[in-house]
Amino acid sequence: MSTPIGTFERLEVWRDGHVGWLVFDRPDAGNALDAVMFRELEQAWLALDADPEVRVIVNTGNGPAFQTGLDMVQVAKDKDALRAVSRQTRDFELRFTAWQVGVRKPVIAAVNGICAGGGLHFVADADIVIASSTATFTDPHVSVGQVSAFETIALIRRSPAEPVLRMAFTGRHERMPASRAYQLGICSQVVDLPENLRAEAAALAEKIAKNSPTAMAVTKKALWEALERDLTAACAAGAKDLAIMWGHPDQEEGPAAFADKREPAWTPLDHGLIEAATQAQERNA
Amino acid sequence: MSYGSYETLIVEREGHIGWLIFNRPEQLNAMNNAMRDELADAWLELDHDPEVRVIVHTGNGRAFQTGVDVMEIATDGIGFERYRDSMENFDVHFTAWHQHVWKPVICAVNGICAGGAFHWVADSDIVIAASDAQFFDPHVSVGQVVAIEAIGLIRRMPAEAVMRMAFVGKYERMTAQRAYELGMVSQIVDPPENLREEAQKLAELIAKNSPTAMRYTKKALWGALEAGLTDSCKAGAQQLVAMWGHPDQEEGPAAFAEKRDANWAPLTPSE
């Protein structure tokens, strides 16, 4: 049973059980990002993060492509429409990925086909990445006279650096297949039959949805903030995150459910608790 | 040099190789309060023993380590509060990295490696595993946060795999083969019962190298995890230069020319 969330022109957004879906829906344009999709993405991520029934978010695309980045047709014909995005890019105030808008819930990118250029944002900014065997990864920025920066900067922290640099410099003249992305640990699962990708993503998301939403939100905070810091500083900050959870009811419920051989009844995620803890950490810093 | 007596660990030396072995096999080597205290001493004893050049770290029984002893937490009436101050201040002492051990440490994962076990994987220099070892992180499945161990791992291997383990929790296990592919471990030992023999062999190879050069190398590489690229290289240059003029730098080429093993200078006390 799926329940639609919001009304969008360029996206399909719904919830099925505890799993929220955010699907790029411009299949005739390779799901390229135009001004409308940029705006809608922020709204969609925030709506899914705020929906108390959603515990995990899956991000994928309709049609043969996953995401092909900035809409070059709009760049060529209607630059004015993209003025807001250009300003956000210059100031690094972009608001179209889960990480950029501060989503607290785990995000799975399910790469259903070509992922090009700006499409790599959605891979770099996801927690977990799975791919169809037909998926490919490529970064054509330098082939069209653009600099590759944010996506590859984020990827370089998640993967061996050489393949990212190679992708950045070979541009549109080479594509990395899903099998190589798996070997490198850019994705953790390749789904052989492309038509099974969503079913596999849902199965993975449902496993994750069984875990404590609050413990996952604090874990996500600790791990992503660690990418901002040096090792010792990251561990010291992570230690404070650990303690946020101590005394939370999920810590009684987890072992109790285990002992009773039943599924745990987790407390719903309270964004306020995590915001308050973050603010307290900043005050004490 | 004989070592102190331990209730939860076995600490011993074979040639130049020091062994630190988790020894609570019935509890899958879970770390109780006693083990936590003993680990702090054991690392320092091995680091201070001049005969020890390399340390191997493994477990007795079918598990390598399964993290904090949840039974003790659940039944001792103190629970995690016992650890609150030391954790909030990140003043902990149970891994080689926490204890500033500058000798090479090999982690030999002999079986189940779950949850807090990743502290010792993340804080070792070299990791090898038995072919039947399994890796998973059940923290979020029991309402706990994963932080320190995953933060360490995320700098040593592709991050996606670490995040997947963190969020899937107890519902999935990573095989030794996948850990090898991802570079989390560098060697799989098959059959599993040969793990200690292979670990000893690897450690003996490493023990042939200059102890002083290895100390400064370890300082340079772990220091690099603390800073950006340029700052790390500048700090690393200090470690490089620290070795210049040391007798091992004459002895190494001389032994090579004479086709004999090098006779390295012993480590001076750590600074």
Side-chain angles (χ1 to χ4, degrees):
Chain A
M1 245 312 275
S2 69
T3 312
I5 296 176
T7 313
F8 299 96
E9 256 182 86
R10 299 283 194 259
L11 307 171
E12 287 182 351
V13 183
W14 72 87
R15 177 176 67 74
D16 194 353
H18 286 309
V19 182
W21 289 79
L22 193 167
V23 181
F24 304 120
D25 189 32
R26 281 188 87 197
D28 296 337
N31 290 323
L33 292 155
D34 66 352
V36 176
M37 197 189 289
F38 275 115
R39 263 198 316 276
E40 289 187 347
L41 278 164
E42 174 174 9
Q43 297 160 12
W45 287 118
L46 293 176
L48 289 164
D49 202 35
D51 185 331
E53 288 300 310
V54 171
R55 293 190 180 180
V56 189
I57 302 168
V58 179
N59 176 211
T60 188
N62 279 338
F66 171 66
Q67 187 29 273
T68 54
L70 188 59
D71 183 351
M72 284 298 140
V73 178
Q74 194 164 45
V75 171
K77 292 190 175 160
D78 185 12
K79 274 206 180 58
D80 281 356
L82 290 164
R83 187 147 295 160
V85 175
S86 302
R87 194 180 57 244
Q88 288 175 332
T89 300
R90 185 195 62 203
D91 299 337
F92 191 50
E93 287 174 353
L94 294 166
R95 305 275 300 167
F96 63 91
T97 73
W99 175 63
Q100 290 162 0
V101 303
V103 169
R104 295 284 185 196
K105 295 170 183 173
V107 174
I108 301 170
V111 182
N112 53 293
I114 187 169
C115 173
L120 296 167
H121 275 289
F122 299 93
V123 169
D125 291 2
D127 300 300
I128 297 173
V129 184
I130 71 173
S132 143
S133 57
T134 54
T136 56
F137 302 84
T138 183
D139 186 359
H141 278 99
V142 297
S143 302
V144 292
Q146 298 285 343
V147 170
S148 175
F150 301 142
E151 310 86 316
T152 36
I153 287 169
L155 273 183
I156 224 165
R157 294 177 178 249
R158 302 174 60 106
S159 132
E162 194 271 356
V164 179
L165 291 164
R166 180 169 173 140
M167 213 188 299
F169 295 125
T170 53
R172 71 183 173 88
H173 307 292
E174 226 174 61
R175 293 181 181 188
M176 180 191 287
S179 55
R180 181 63 181 150
Y182 174 76
Q183 287 171 348
L184 293 164
I186 292 172
C187 68
S188 55
Q189 187 177 344
V190 175
V191 178
D192 277 337
L193 291 174
E195 60 270 30
N196 291 349
L197 179 69
R198 290 196 188 181
E200 290 292 333
L204 174 61
E206 279 158 19
K207 284 182 196 167
I208 292 170
K210 289 172 186 275
N211 296 319
S212 160
T214 310
M216 290 198 291
V218 182
T219 295
K220 179 160 174 156
K221 165 175 154 58
L223 297 189
W224 280 89
E225 288 180 7
L227 296 176
E228 306 284 348
R229 296 191 173 104
D230 305 333
L231 181 59
T232 302
C235 288
K240 292 186 168 57
D241 289 333
L242 277 182
I244 294 175
M245 196 68 192
W246 293 352
H248 187 279
D250 282 3
Q251 299 206 309
E252 300 291 324
E253 174 61 8
F258 181 76
D260 300 346
K261 299 189 169 143
R262 58 172 174 79
E263 293 293 332
W266 301 120
T267 308
L269 177 60
D270 174 3
H271 284 71
L273 176 132
I274 297 165
E275 302 311 329
T278 305
Q279 282 163 17
Q281 287 172 357
E282 282 164 2
R283 269 198 308 280
N284 294 335
Chain B
M1 176 166 172
S2 70
Y3 300 123
S5 67
Y6 293 89
E7 184 195 323
T8 64
L9 305 172
I10 293 172
V11 181
E12 59 194 18
R13 181 172 65 78
E14 187 173 334
H16 285 307
I17 316 306
W19 283 78
L20 194 166
I21 304 170
F22 297 123
N23 192 32
R24 295 186 78 211
E26 302 294 318
Q27 294 81 22
L28 301 179
N29 292 324
M31 181 171 73
N32 61 0
N33 198 43
M35 186 190 280
R36 186 180 165 104
D37 290 345
E38 289 188 350
L39 280 163
D41 295 338
W43 287 116
L44 293 181
E45 275 210 292
L46 291 167
D47 201 34
H48 293 160
D49 181 350
E51 289 300 310
V52 170
R53 293 191 180 178
V54 182
I55 302 170
V56 180
H57 182 212
T58 191
N60 274 341
R62 69 189 178 90
F64 167 63
Q65 239 300 334
T66 53
V68 80
D69 186 342
V70 178
M71 195 59 85
E72 184 178 75
I73 294 285
T75 58
D76 71 352
I78 308 173
F80 277 109
E81 291 307 316
R82 185 204 300 284
Y83 300 125
R84 183 179 287 276
D85 284 349
S86 61
M87 192 49 84
E88 283 190 332
N89 298 314
F90 194 50
D91 178 26
V92 294
H93 301 278
F94 48 86
T95 74
W97 178 62
H98 300 156
Q99 293 300 75
H100 307 289
V101 171
W102 296 114
K103 292 173 182 173
V105 174
I106 300 171
C107 177
V109 180
N110 55 291
I112 296 168
C113 175
F118 287 103
H119 278 291
W120 291 280
V121 173
D123 291 0
S124 295
D125 301 300
I126 296 172
V127 187
I128 69 174
S131 57
D132 60 355
Q134 295 182 323
F135 301 86
F136 62 105
D137 191 342
H139 277 99
V140 296
S141 301
V142 292
Q144 295 287 343
V145 171
V146 192
I148 319 285
E149 40 299 41
I151 288 169
L153 276 186
I154 225 166
R155 304 185 169 244
R156 301 174 59 105
M157 63 182 283
E160 197 269 359
V162 180
M163 302 231 191
R164 181 165 175 141
M165 270 200 291
F167 293 120
V168 179
K170 70 175 179 179
Y171 301 103
E172 223 175 62
R173 294 183 180 197
M174 184 190 285
T175 60
Q177 179 60 32
R178 184 62 180 152
Y180 173 76
E181 290 168 359
L182 290 166
M184 187 164 87
V185 312
S186 58
Q187 185 179 345
I188 295 178
V189 179
D190 191 40
E193 56 268 27
N194 292 355
L195 180 69
R196 289 196 188 179
E197 190 187 322
E198 290 294 328
Q200 176 79 21
K201 260 193 237 170
L202 174 61
E204 282 170 8
L205 289 182
I206 294 170
K208 288 174 185 278
N209 298 319
S210 159
T212 310
M214 290 198 291
R215 172 199 285 171
Y216 288 118
T217 298
K218 183 162 175 168
K219 285 188 171 182
L221 296 189
W222 282 85
L225 297 176
E226 301 289 348
L229 182 59
T230 302
D231 285 342
S232 299
C233 290
K234 286 179 180 162
Q238 300 304 308
Q239 306 294 348
L240 271 183
V241 173
M243 191 72 191
W244 290 356
H246 188 279
D248 283 2
Q249 299 203 315
E250 301 289 324
E251 171 61 9
F256 181 78
E258 293 161 28
K259 298 185 173 152
R260 58 173 175 81
D261 282 340
N263 184 20
W264 303 120
L267 272 181
T268 55
S270 306
E271 55 269 18

